[in-house]
Short mmCIF file of all heavy atoms in Angstrom, two decimals:
data_model
loop_
_atom_site.label_atom_id
_atom_site.label_comp_id
_atom_site.label_asym_id
_atom_site.label_seq_id
_atom_site.Cartn_x
_atom_site.Cartn_y
_atom_site.Cartn_z
N TRP E 5 5.13 21.32 1.26
CA TRP E 5 3.74 21.68 1.08
C TRP E 5 2.98 20.76 0.18
O TRP E 5 1.85 20.32 0.45
CB TRP E 5 3.62 23.15 0.68
CG TRP E 5 2.14 23.57 0.47
CD1 TRP E 5 1.40 23.92 1.47
CD2 TRP E 5 1.54 23.78 -0.70
NE1 TRP E 5 0.18 24.28 0.94
CE2 TRP E 5 0.30 24.28 -0.47
CE3 TRP E 5 1.81 23.63 -2.11
CZ2 TRP E 5 -0.77 24.59 -1.36
CZ3 TRP E 5 0.84 23.95 -3.02
CH2 TRP E 5 -0.38 24.41 -2.64
N ALA E 6 3.69 20.47 -0.96
CA ALA E 6 2.95 19.52 -1.94
C ALA E 6 2.81 18.08 -1.25
O ALA E 6 1.78 17.49 -1.45
CB ALA E 6 3.79 19.42 -3.17
N GLN E 7 3.82 17.62 -0.58
CA GLN E 7 3.69 16.31 0.11
C GLN E 7 2.61 16.29 1.12
O GLN E 7 1.80 15.36 1.26
CB GLN E 7 5.03 16.05 0.91
CG GLN E 7 6.01 15.50 -0.03
CD GLN E 7 7.30 15.21 0.68
OE1 GLN E 7 7.78 16.01 1.58
NE2 GLN E 7 7.91 14.08 0.43
N PHE E 8 2.44 17.50 1.88
CA PHE E 8 1.37 17.56 2.87
C PHE E 8 0.03 17.51 2.22
O PHE E 8 -0.95 16.77 2.63
CB PHE E 8 1.44 18.90 3.64
CG PHE E 8 0.25 19.17 4.44
CD1 PHE E 8 0.00 18.57 5.66
CD2 PHE E 8 -0.67 20.13 4.00
CE1 PHE E 8 -1.14 18.79 6.40
CE2 PHE E 8 -1.91 20.42 4.73
CZ PHE E 8 -2.06 19.76 5.99
N ASN E 9 -0.18 18.14 1.10
CA ASN E 9 -1.48 18.24 0.42
C ASN E 9 -1.80 16.83 -0.27
O ASN E 9 -2.90 16.40 -0.22
CB ASN E 9 -1.47 19.31 -0.68
CG ASN E 9 -1.79 20.58 -0.09
OD1 ASN E 9 -2.93 20.89 0.38
ND2 ASN E 9 -0.71 21.49 -0.06
N LEU E 10 -0.80 16.23 -0.76
CA LEU E 10 -0.98 14.92 -1.34
C LEU E 10 -1.28 13.78 -0.22
O LEU E 10 -2.13 12.95 -0.42
CB LEU E 10 0.12 14.40 -2.28
CG LEU E 10 0.31 15.18 -3.52
CD1 LEU E 10 1.54 14.81 -4.27
CD2 LEU E 10 -0.88 15.03 -4.48
N TRP E 11 -0.56 13.93 0.83
CA TRP E 11 -0.86 13.08 1.92
C TRP E 11 -2.28 13.21 2.52
O TRP E 11 -2.97 12.27 2.70
CB TRP E 11 0.19 13.23 3.11
CG TRP E 11 -0.10 12.35 4.27
CD1 TRP E 11 0.23 11.08 4.39
CD2 TRP E 11 -0.76 12.74 5.44
NE1 TRP E 11 -0.15 10.55 5.61
CE2 TRP E 11 -0.83 11.66 6.34
CE3 TRP E 11 -1.37 13.93 5.95
CZ2 TRP E 11 -1.34 11.64 7.57
CZ3 TRP E 11 -1.93 13.95 7.19
CH2 TRP E 11 -1.88 12.81 8.02
N THR E 12 -2.71 14.46 2.77
CA THR E 12 -4.02 14.66 3.27
C THR E 12 -5.03 14.31 2.24
O THR E 12 -6.21 13.84 2.62
CB THR E 12 -4.23 16.12 3.72
OG1 THR E 12 -3.89 16.93 2.65
CG2 THR E 12 -3.39 16.50 4.92
N LEU E 13 -4.79 14.42 0.95
CA LEU E 13 -5.74 13.95 0.00
C LEU E 13 -5.91 12.52 -0.02
O LEU E 13 -7.00 12.01 -0.16
CB LEU E 13 -5.18 14.44 -1.45
CG LEU E 13 -6.11 14.34 -2.53
CD1 LEU E 13 -7.41 15.18 -2.36
CD2 LEU E 13 -5.42 14.70 -3.88
N GLY E 14 -4.90 11.78 0.26
CA GLY E 14 -4.95 10.34 0.36
C GLY E 14 -5.64 9.94 1.63
O GLY E 14 -6.51 9.05 1.70
N TRP E 15 -5.33 10.65 2.74
CA TRP E 15 -5.82 10.24 4.01
C TRP E 15 -7.35 10.60 4.18
O TRP E 15 -8.15 9.82 4.54
CB TRP E 15 -5.04 10.96 5.07
CG TRP E 15 -5.43 10.58 6.54
CD1 TRP E 15 -5.38 9.37 7.15
CD2 TRP E 15 -6.03 11.54 7.50
NE1 TRP E 15 -5.87 9.46 8.41
CE2 TRP E 15 -6.23 10.75 8.64
CE3 TRP E 15 -6.25 12.90 7.45
CZ2 TRP E 15 -6.80 11.33 9.76
CZ3 TRP E 15 -6.81 13.45 8.59
CH2 TRP E 15 -6.99 12.63 9.80
N LEU E 16 -7.73 11.82 3.73
CA LEU E 16 -9.08 12.21 3.85
C LEU E 16 -9.98 11.80 2.76
O LEU E 16 -11.13 11.30 2.97
CB LEU E 16 -9.09 13.69 3.92
CG LEU E 16 -8.73 14.42 5.23
CD1 LEU E 16 -8.74 15.88 5.04
CD2 LEU E 16 -9.63 14.01 6.40
N CYS E 17 -9.54 11.80 1.54
CA CYS E 17 -10.41 11.59 0.42
C CYS E 17 -10.11 10.18 -0.24
O CYS E 17 -10.91 9.82 -1.18
CB CYS E 17 -10.20 12.65 -0.65
SG CYS E 17 -10.62 14.25 0.00
N GLY E 18 -9.14 9.55 0.15
CA GLY E 18 -8.82 8.20 -0.38
C GLY E 18 -8.29 8.19 -1.74
O GLY E 18 -8.40 7.17 -2.51
N ILE E 19 -7.68 9.30 -2.16
CA ILE E 19 -7.02 9.36 -3.50
C ILE E 19 -5.56 9.06 -3.28
O ILE E 19 -4.78 9.87 -2.79
CB ILE E 19 -7.28 10.73 -4.14
CG1 ILE E 19 -8.72 11.02 -4.30
CG2 ILE E 19 -6.49 10.90 -5.40
CD1 ILE E 19 -9.10 12.41 -4.87
N HIS E 20 -5.15 7.90 -3.89
CA HIS E 20 -3.78 7.50 -3.80
C HIS E 20 -3.20 7.36 -5.19
O HIS E 20 -3.95 7.39 -6.13
CB HIS E 20 -3.69 6.10 -3.13
CG HIS E 20 -4.32 6.17 -1.73
ND1 HIS E 20 -3.65 6.71 -0.63
CD2 HIS E 20 -5.47 5.75 -1.22
CE1 HIS E 20 -4.38 6.58 0.40
NE2 HIS E 20 -5.54 6.00 0.10
N HIS E 21 -1.93 7.21 -5.34
CA HIS E 21 -1.28 7.17 -6.65
C HIS E 21 -0.28 6.10 -6.65
O HIS E 21 0.24 5.61 -5.54
CB HIS E 21 -0.66 8.50 -6.97
CG HIS E 21 0.45 8.93 -6.04
ND1 HIS E 21 0.11 9.65 -4.83
CD2 HIS E 21 1.77 8.79 -6.08
CE1 HIS E 21 1.28 9.84 -4.20
NE2 HIS E 21 2.26 9.29 -4.93
N ARG E 22 0.03 5.62 -7.85
CA ARG E 22 1.07 4.69 -8.05
C ARG E 22 1.83 5.07 -9.34
O ARG E 22 1.16 5.45 -10.31
CB ARG E 22 0.53 3.31 -8.30
CG ARG E 22 1.58 2.23 -8.58
CD ARG E 22 0.95 0.87 -8.73
NE ARG E 22 -0.28 1.02 -9.66
CZ ARG E 22 -0.90 -0.02 -10.16
NH1 ARG E 22 -0.58 -1.18 -9.75
NH2 ARG E 22 -1.81 0.22 -10.99
N VAL E 23 3.11 5.14 -9.28
CA VAL E 23 3.97 5.61 -10.38
C VAL E 23 4.68 4.53 -11.07
O VAL E 23 5.25 3.63 -10.37
CB VAL E 23 4.95 6.74 -9.98
CG1 VAL E 23 5.77 7.22 -11.07
CG2 VAL E 23 4.32 7.84 -9.19
N LYS E 24 4.51 4.44 -12.39
CA LYS E 24 5.18 3.36 -13.18
C LYS E 24 6.07 4.17 -14.06
O LYS E 24 5.78 5.23 -14.66
CB LYS E 24 4.18 2.63 -14.02
CG LYS E 24 3.25 1.79 -13.22
CD LYS E 24 2.36 0.90 -14.17
CE LYS E 24 1.43 0.04 -13.36
NZ LYS E 24 0.60 -0.73 -14.32
N GLY E 25 7.32 3.62 -14.38
CA GLY E 25 8.17 4.17 -15.32
C GLY E 25 9.10 5.26 -14.89
O GLY E 25 9.65 6.07 -15.66
N LEU E 26 9.38 5.32 -13.56
CA LEU E 26 10.34 6.29 -12.99
C LEU E 26 11.69 6.11 -13.60
O LEU E 26 12.42 7.08 -13.68
CB LEU E 26 10.37 6.16 -11.45
CG LEU E 26 9.28 6.75 -10.70
CD1 LEU E 26 9.49 6.54 -9.13
CD2 LEU E 26 9.11 8.28 -10.94
N GLU E 27 12.00 5.02 -14.03
CA GLU E 27 13.31 4.77 -14.61
C GLU E 27 13.52 5.47 -15.99
O GLU E 27 14.64 5.73 -16.44
CB GLU E 27 13.63 3.29 -14.81
CG GLU E 27 12.79 2.56 -15.82
CD GLU E 27 11.42 2.08 -15.23
OE1 GLU E 27 11.10 2.34 -14.13
OE2 GLU E 27 10.61 1.54 -16.04
N ASN E 28 12.40 5.92 -16.55
CA ASN E 28 12.49 6.64 -17.88
C ASN E 28 12.69 8.13 -17.68
O ASN E 28 12.77 8.77 -18.67
CB ASN E 28 11.15 6.42 -18.55
CG ASN E 28 10.96 4.91 -18.92
OD1 ASN E 28 11.96 4.18 -19.34
ND2 ASN E 28 9.84 4.41 -18.75
N ILE E 29 12.59 8.62 -16.51
CA ILE E 29 12.86 10.05 -16.25
C ILE E 29 14.26 10.34 -16.42
O ILE E 29 15.15 9.73 -15.75
CB ILE E 29 12.31 10.46 -14.90
CG1 ILE E 29 10.78 10.25 -14.81
CG2 ILE E 29 12.58 11.94 -14.66
CD1 ILE E 29 10.20 10.49 -13.49
N PRO E 30 14.72 11.32 -17.34
CA PRO E 30 16.08 11.57 -17.51
C PRO E 30 16.70 12.27 -16.19
O PRO E 30 16.00 12.93 -15.46
CB PRO E 30 16.10 12.63 -18.62
CG PRO E 30 14.73 13.13 -18.74
CD PRO E 30 13.77 12.12 -18.09
N ASP E 31 18.00 12.09 -16.04
CA ASP E 31 18.69 12.63 -14.88
C ASP E 31 18.87 14.13 -14.99
O ASP E 31 18.93 14.82 -14.04
CB ASP E 31 20.09 11.96 -14.69
CG ASP E 31 19.90 10.49 -14.32
OD1 ASP E 31 18.86 10.18 -13.60
OD2 ASP E 31 20.85 9.69 -14.69
N GLY E 32 19.06 14.61 -16.19
CA GLY E 32 19.33 16.06 -16.43
C GLY E 32 18.05 16.79 -16.66
O GLY E 32 16.97 16.39 -16.43
N ALA E 33 18.33 17.99 -17.29
CA ALA E 33 17.21 18.89 -17.58
C ALA E 33 16.28 18.28 -18.66
O ALA E 33 16.73 17.51 -19.55
CB ALA E 33 17.66 20.24 -18.10
N ALA E 34 14.98 18.60 -18.53
CA ALA E 34 14.09 18.00 -19.47
C ALA E 34 12.76 18.89 -19.55
O ALA E 34 12.57 19.61 -18.64
CB ALA E 34 13.66 16.67 -19.11
N ILE E 35 12.05 18.82 -20.62
CA ILE E 35 10.80 19.46 -20.68
C ILE E 35 9.70 18.41 -20.64
O ILE E 35 9.63 17.40 -21.33
CB ILE E 35 10.60 20.17 -22.15
CG1 ILE E 35 11.68 21.26 -22.19
CG2 ILE E 35 9.27 20.70 -22.25
CD1 ILE E 35 11.76 21.97 -23.55
N ILE E 36 8.82 18.65 -19.62
CA ILE E 36 7.71 17.71 -19.34
C ILE E 36 6.40 18.36 -19.84
O ILE E 36 6.14 19.48 -19.41
CB ILE E 36 7.60 17.38 -17.84
CG1 ILE E 36 8.96 17.02 -17.23
CG2 ILE E 36 6.49 16.45 -17.56
CD1 ILE E 36 9.45 15.78 -17.84
#
């Protein structure tokens, strides 16, 4: 559902994203 909403947001409204720093996300549990 989240993917669908983000895809339609990009397709209809032109809002796209780029993620930097994914390598910094820990593999285990974390508080964001």
Side-chain angles (χ1 to χ4, degrees):
W5 180 74
Q7 282 179 315
F8 168 77
N9 279 291
L10 291 173
W11 178 80
T12 55
L13 192 61
W15 183 63
L16 285 172
C17 300
I19 297 174
H20 302 283
H21 61 276
R22 180 179 49 174
V23 179
K24 292 182 181 180
L26 282 177
E27 66 277 0
N28 298 318
I29 297 174
D31 291 331
I35 296 174
I36 310 300

